Amino acid sequence: MKTAGKVVAGTTAAAVILAGGYGGLAALRADRIAAGTTIDGTPVGGMSLSEAVTNVDAASKAMLSKPITISTDRGAVQIVPADSGISLDTSDAFAQLTGFTLNPAQLFQRYTGGGPQRTARTVVDLAALEQAISTAGEKLKGAPVNPTVKFIQGAVQVTDGEPGTGIDAKAVARQIAAGWPKTTSFKTTLKQTEPEISQAEVQTYLDTFANKAMDDPVTVQVHSQKVSLSTNVISDLLSTTVKDGRLAPVVDEAALDKELAEVAGSLVKAPQAARIVQAADGTRTVVPGTDGYSVVTKGAGDKLLAAITAPDRTMTLDTTVVKASPDNTSANSVGTQLMSEFVSKFPTGSSNAARTHNIKTALAKMNGVVVQPGEQFSLLKTLMPIDAAAGYVKAPVLSGGVDVLGMGGGISQTSTTLYNAVFFAGMQLDEHKAHSFWISRYPMGREATLSIPNIDNKWTNDSGHPVLIQAGIEGHAAVIRLYGTKAFTVTSTTSAPFNIVAPKVQHIATAGCINQPAVNGFDVTVTRIVKNLAGQIVKNEKVTTHYQPADQVICTGETADTSKVPTKPSSGSSGGSD
């Protein structure tokens, strides 16, 4: 009995050892795929699961990017599987290729080879595949032609479709779904085919969207501010595509972003940095800065499409807060030296009251602004939004050489005053545009207009010290003084006018016509020599300005020619807030 007990015990121990060894062998290969294993022909044997997934994904992408050729008796066309509703699902192909197993057959494969040959599951979106085949087939001569709906210069333009001989997209899609990826070339015969888009579908699209799109302008609203997108602008933003067998509008998002950026000037509120207000006796008071906001244009395309069919035709844009610069301004942070001063007289009387109001409003927005060393100042950014809510009113502005009423008329006088103050302070002039027509109250060749959104007055403080702008009305003049630490001396000359062109006479009967005198057109050259305090020349500039002749305007009840009568300010005209 003792001997038998020893035999049993020994046998049990040996079994345990063998079992443990077998389990150890199984564990050693648990994270490796059996040698000889392939997925869609891609070898993955001996790899870890993550390595295999990476290799198979790369092979699948290559397979999906290889074109499928469709041959007909009129030529061949190609489609790319990845762009045509075809994909590969490899998830099932990796099932149980790794992981701990005591299955003798699987364990034998992992050590000796002979792994399984697996394939990924082909997934086909038949509707997308048919659409891709139809689109490719349009390139064949004699193929049916879909009707088109275009938006051109504020109007809808429709072109009828035409039947033809084309690919039977449904039949070929079924062939490809059954034969790909083993087969990448397919043959088919052409058949008489109607356009994919019917005339009934065109009429539905016209009734529900296209005609409405060109009915009226669309209003863009930000808080209480509003601007309009004209039908001409909207037509440049829209096109039509075929989606799921139906006509659908497409918005050019990049063009819309650009358009909104151009009109956003009147919709945003720029942050205001802390200001220093200086009294007549030199006493200074710090006014804290305030935050502003900018317009969020992401998703604006969908909002435009919704506005086109909405009763109020309004798209409301969201805003995001723009924080004011950190308040590091103190009453003593800016030098007290007078760097320059410029006085610009303006016309008075009741007829100029609105214009004077705008000048005063604009000067108040500049007053107390501190421009740090190296900082670029933008007048347009400082004054916007230029609308009634910001305190501006309508007053005469130049358009095509003729005075018409426009919001903020007169603020070019503040621009000219600032330009000259910076000019004689010797600082860097970055961007300005003179009026297209000379206005006698401004220095020839040394004046600057403004126009939203792209005519600005910009300059950079290169004095090396902070500069304080003091701006206001004194008597019947706009006055701007720049305080800081004087760094430059300036000398300037202005040539006599040359290349003189005589004006004409216009008789205008339009309501709101404003009489104006004739002014010659001419060229004039202004030079500026700027020296540092050591007497060295640091800027030597020469600018020639061209002025167009301004016609004499006589307002009458009758006119033989109204073709030159402006109805609204036009971009790139005379430019100006007068």
Side-chain angles (χ1 to χ4, degrees):
M1 293 298 291
K2 290 181 180 179
T3 301
K6 288 180 179 179
V7 170
V8 171
T11 302
T12 302
V16 169
I17 292 170
L18 288 172
Y22 184 77
L25 290 173
L28 284 173
R29 302 296 292 182
D31 64 343
R32 294 288 153 178
I33 297 173
T37 302
T38 63
I39 297 178
D40 276 336
T42 301
V44 294
M47 297 181 183
S48 68
L49 184 61
S50 62
E51 291 170 340
V53 169
T54 298
N55 282 19
V56 171
D57 282 350
S60 296
K61 287 180 181 178
M63 190 183 302
L64 289 166
S65 64
K66 183 180 179 181
I68 296 172
T69 301
I70 304 168
S71 301
T72 74
D73 55 357
R74 288 189 181 174
V77 294
Q78 290 185 325
I79 61 172
V80 177
D83 301 331
S84 307
I86 299 175
S87 60
L88 291 170
D89 181 359
T90 60
S91 57
D92 291 342
F94 291 103
Q96 298 182 343
L97 290 182
T98 59
F100 184 81
T101 180
L102 293 176
N103 183 299
Q106 290 182 351
L107 192 58
F108 184 77
Q109 282 184 341
R110 291 185 183 180
Y111 274 92
T112 63
Q117 316 298 302
R118 295 185 176 181
T119 58
R121 184 171 66 90
T122 301
V123 180
V124 179
D125 180 340
L126 279 174
L129 181 56
E130 289 173 16
Q131 180 65 59
I133 295 169
S134 295
T135 301
E138 292 173 0
K139 299 175 183 177
L140 295 173
K141 185 176 180 180
V145 179
N146 272 327
T148 62
V149 179
K150 297 180 179 180
F151 304 93
I152 299 176
Q153 295 182 346
V156 180
Q157 185 180 87
V158 180
T159 302
D160 292 337
E162 297 178 7
T165 53
I167 297 174
D168 185 343
K170 288 186 177 181
V172 175
R174 288 194 293 270
Q175 290 180 44
I176 293 174
W180 188 89
K182 291 182 179 180
T183 304
T184 58
S185 294
F186 299 85
K187 291 184 179 181
T188 186
T189 56
L190 301 177
K191 70 170 189 176
Q192 187 70 22
T193 309
E194 291 295 319
E196 179 186 8
I197 302 300
S198 67
Q199 287 303 122
E201 167 59 22
V202 172
Q203 191 59 52
T204 298
Y205 180 64
L206 292 174
D207 293 341
T208 59
F209 181 82
N211 288 336
K212 293 182 178 181
M214 298 294 99
D215 271 350
D216 292 295
V218 166
T219 298
V220 181
Q221 181 168 351
V222 175
H223 298 313
S224 61
Q225 311 303 316
K226 298 179 181 180
V227 295
S228 291
L229 298 180
S230 69
T231 52
N232 276 348
V233 169
I234 297 171
S235 65
D236 290 340
L237 301 175
L238 293 178
S239 60
T240 302
T241 190
V242 177
K243 184 177 181 181
D244 298 331
R246 306 187 71 175
L247 294 178
V250 177
V251 177
D252 185 333
E253 295 282 357
L256 177 58
D257 280 351
K258 183 179 179 181
E259 184 64 32
L260 291 176
E262 290 183 355
V263 302
S266 60
L267 300 175
V268 301
K269 177 185 177 184
Q272 299 290 332
R275 299 177 178 224
I276 298 176
V277 178
Q278 181 167 307
D281 63 359
T283 303
R284 292 178 171 182
T285 304
V286 176
V287 178
T290 58
D291 294 340
Y293 56 80
S294 62
V295 175
V296 177
T297 59
K298 184 178 181 180
D302 290 339
K303 291 185 177 183
L304 174 61
L305 295 179
I308 285 171
T309 56
D312 61 357
R313 295 182 71 84
T314 297
M315 56 185 291
T316 301
L317 299 181
D318 298 325
T319 60
T320 183
V321 173
V322 180
K323 303 293 290 184
S325 301
D327 191 353
N328 57 4
T329 301
S330 67
N332 298 319
S333 63
V334 183
T336 58
Q337 284 184 299
L338 179 62
M339 301 172 67
S340 67
E341 174 186 75
F342 195 79
V343 178
S344 179
K345 294 183 178 180
F346 51 76
T348 59
S350 59
S351 61
N352 289 290
R355 188 177 180 280
T356 302
H357 173 88
N358 289 332
I359 293 172
K360 183 177 180 180
T361 300
L363 290 171
K365 291 181 180 292
M366 275 191 282
N367 187 44
V369 171
V370 176
V371 185
Q372 299 296 335
E375 181 183 354
Q376 185 184 67
F377 177 88
S378 163
L379 182 57
L380 203 56
K381 183 178 178 181
T382 302
L383 301 187
M384 290 195 305
I386 299 174
D387 55 26
Y392 296 99
V393 296
K394 288 187 176 182
V397 298
L398 273 173
S399 176
V402 176
D403 278 330
V404 296
L405 289 177
M407 184 61 70
I411 61 173
S412 281
Q413 182 131 12
T414 65
S415 179
T416 292
T417 309
L418 177 66
Y419 177 82
N420 279 275
V422 176
F423 183 97
F424 287 109
M427 289 184 289
Q428 178 181 312
L429 302 167
D430 296 330
E431 178 185 330
H432 84 285
K433 184 182 184 302
H435 289 84
S436 296
F437 307 88
W438 182 50
I439 301 170
S440 60
R441 59 178 167 270
Y442 300 148
M444 288 187 296
R446 221 175 59 233
E447 45 94 5
T449 186
L450 286 177
S451 181
I452 297 173
N454 48 17
I455 299 180
D456 202 350
N457 180 351
K458 295 180 180 179
W459 54 276
T460 296
N461 175 11
D462 59 349
S463 71
H465 304 277
V467 172
L468 168 64
I469 301 174
Q470 185 188 55
I473 286 181
E474 297 180 13
H476 301 308
V479 180
I480 292 181
R481 299 182 181 91
L482 302 181
Y483 288 96
T485 302
K486 194 172 181 66
F488 307 111
T489 61
V490 177
T491 56
S492 176
T493 60
T494 301
S495 73
F498 58 96
N499 295 336
I500 297 172
V501 179
K504 299 177 181 179
V505 177
Q506 293 189 50
H507 293 82
I508 298 177
T510 304
C513 173
I514 301 173
N515 289 301
Q516 66 183 46
V519 180
N520 286 336
F522 60 90
D523 294 343
V524 65
T525 299
V526 173
T527 63
R528 181 175 76 147
I529 297 175
V530 180
K531 296 180 181 180
N532 60 23
L533 298 186
Q536 299 168 317
I537 296 177
V538 293
K539 300 182 183 78
N540 190 345
E541 302 162 339
K542 180 183 291 186
V543 176
T544 297
T545 301
H546 171 71
Y547 290 109
Q548 300 176 31
D551 294 345
Q552 180 181 7
V553 174
I554 301 173
C555 300
T556 67
E558 297 179 0
T559 179
D561 179 13
T562 60
S563 62
K564 297 181 181 179
V565 179
T567 58
K568 61 180 179 179
S570 57
S571 59
S573 64
S574 64
S577 45
D578 206 346

